[in-house]
Amino acid sequence: MNQSEPFYYFDNNATTRIAPEVTESMMPFLTDLWGNASSAYRFGADVARAIRRGRERVAELVNAEPEEIVFTSCGTESNNAAWQAALLTQPNRRHIITTAVEHSANMKFGEHLQRRGYEVTFLPVEPDGSLDLHLLEKTIRPETALVSTMWANNETGVVFPIEEITAICHSRGALFHTDAVQVAGKLPIDVRLTHVDYLSLSAHKLHAPKGIGCLFVRRGAPYTPYVVGGGQERGQRGGTENVPYIVGFGTAADLAAKHLNDENTRVRALRDRLENTILQKIPRTSRNGAKALRLPNTCNLAFHGVEAEALLLMLDQAGICAATGSACKTGSIEPSHVLTAMGLPATLAKASLRLSLGLYNTDADVDYLLEKLPPIIARLRDEDVSVIE
Ligand SMILES: *Cc1c(COP(=O)(O)O)cnc(C)c1O
């Protein structure tokens, strides 16, 4: 797509526009300041200082100590690293509990571990997308090495009660990891209030570039590196530091804290207006995950009788970017595993559209979508009357 065409972006849960402030802060480290932080001379020390500052800024976003932040290449690596650490440091415990609605970062790693002889339980969810905490409690066993659940769902925006889940895990003697990739910048995160052992973030979901993430590892929580090499990251993750991206992540973390209020007022109001108007204007439309606590920016709607894949193509023709579920699934015709786990029949799961807003969305964007969507849905429903139930 030509970027000079008008372009309406409603896919902020897949990735976000890089903030100009982020790019600007990275530039010196892509040009003049290219030294290696491990070098003994001052040219390296300047770079080491920039990494330190980036680490402090990312730590501050979640109220961690800088020493509790391990930089990784992405959210996926952060999740994998936490699971691997929990298993390798407790070799007698070969059971992991996660949920049926995780991002593929956890789903696929869970299946991979099952093939390698570990036991992985994928907890079901309720129709509104929430977890049954009694079931979680009953599922934890002495051999459970780790419980890992997302904090907020990337498809539906449904938020899990992380404080309660952490307390349950700890009372039953299990470590707890949360994938907080969708939460950073949208809801407050404070690891001194929520006693998670490990927590994953990814920078490209908060207006920094793709290819950098971090894992919070609580001081004292068992840990062993997933990527082994030089002594970088205090021996917790080998590989020469990705300096420009660490700097950019730091800037983005600062901005995310500053914009938290905007996300929860202006962006939430945009989302609510978008959602309520669609539900009002377009008959036979239902909301997925409506009754649970949700992120302020995410909207997931089922347009009964419509193939969402066809809807995506028509929206794209109108310059509108949206999604049918996890971005990693695009192109496949499998119904969303998240909506399926919530009990939606395949026809409705395949009729569901995700719209995720962000800081750069305006009222004009929402007006444009509200103008384009109803006739597109009507056309799709008329064109293929046979699929309408
Ligand atoms: C995007 C996303 C990830 C993966 O992050 P990457 O940096 O792309 O690997 C993991 N979990 C959730 C909930 C996500 O939305």
Side-chain angles (χ1 to χ4, degrees), residues 49-100:
R49 196 172 311 114
I51 294 177
R52 227 164 19 244
R53 183 81 193 101
R55 194 184 310 281
E56 285 166 5
R57 295 171 111 181
V58 171
E60 210 169 306
L61 180 63
V62 298
N63 201 20
E65 299 296 327
E67 299 73 33
E68 293 174 312
I69 299 297
V70 179
F71 286 115
T72 65
S73 66
C74 58
T76 302
E77 183 191 325
S78 301
N79 285 4
N80 285 193
W83 285 37
Q84 188 93 352
L87 290 173
L88 290 178
T89 57
Q90 309 169 97
N92 296 329
R93 296 181 174 219
R94 296 178 63 84
H95 177 224
I96 283 192
I97 299 172
T98 186
T99 80

Side-chain angles (χ1 to χ4, degrees), residues 250-378:
T251 309
D254 255 17
L255 291 173
K258 282 200 190 88
H259 292 146
L260 192 59
N261 189 44
D262 191 40
E263 280 275 3
N264 283 280
T265 52
R266 194 186 62 87
V267 176
R268 182 188 294 272
L270 281 180
R271 190 273 313 264
D272 289 347
R273 179 162 79 86
L274 177 67
E275 189 171 84
N276 292 333
T277 313
I278 291 174
L279 286 167
Q280 211 171 39
K281 273 195 174 175
I282 305 180
R284 294 189 301 124
T285 303
S286 53
R287 197 158 50 168
N288 299 320
K291 294 197 188 75
L293 185 64
R294 286 187 304 160
L295 289 175
N297 78 315
T298 308
C299 162
N300 195 309
L301 298 169
F303 299 97
H304 302 218
V306 167
E307 282 282 357
E309 290 300 322
L311 173 57
L312 276 192
L313 293 180
M314 291 184 73
L315 288 172
D316 186 29
Q317 288 298 309
I320 296 167
C321 306
T324 49
S326 160
C328 315
K329 282 264 174 69
T330 300
S332 91
I333 47 160
E334 287 289 294
S336 147
H337 71 282
V338 174
L339 300 179
T340 304
M342 288 162 69
L344 254 72
T347 46
L348 274 192
K350 287 187 184 186
S352 293
L353 182 76
R354 177 185 73 184
L355 298 165
S356 49
L357 286 75
L359 293 173
Y360 294 108
N361 283 116
T362 62
D363 265 303
D365 293 351
V366 170
D367 290 339
Y368 180 81
L369 180 62
L370 287 174
E371 176 199 322
K372 293 289 171 188
L373 188 62
I376 291 178
I377 296 290

Side-chain angles (χ1 to χ4, degrees), residues 18 24 58 75 79 82 101 123 152 162-163 171 179 181 187 189 194 231-232 236 239 268 284 305 307 352 375:
I18 303 172
E24 197 186 323
V58 171
N79 285 4
V101 294
L123 288 175
I162 291 304
E163 252 170 90
S171 76
D179 172 348
V181 169
L187 300 174
I189 300 178
T194 305
Q232 293 93 351
Q236 292 173 310
R268 182 188 294 272
R284 294 189 301 124
E307 282 282 357
S352 293

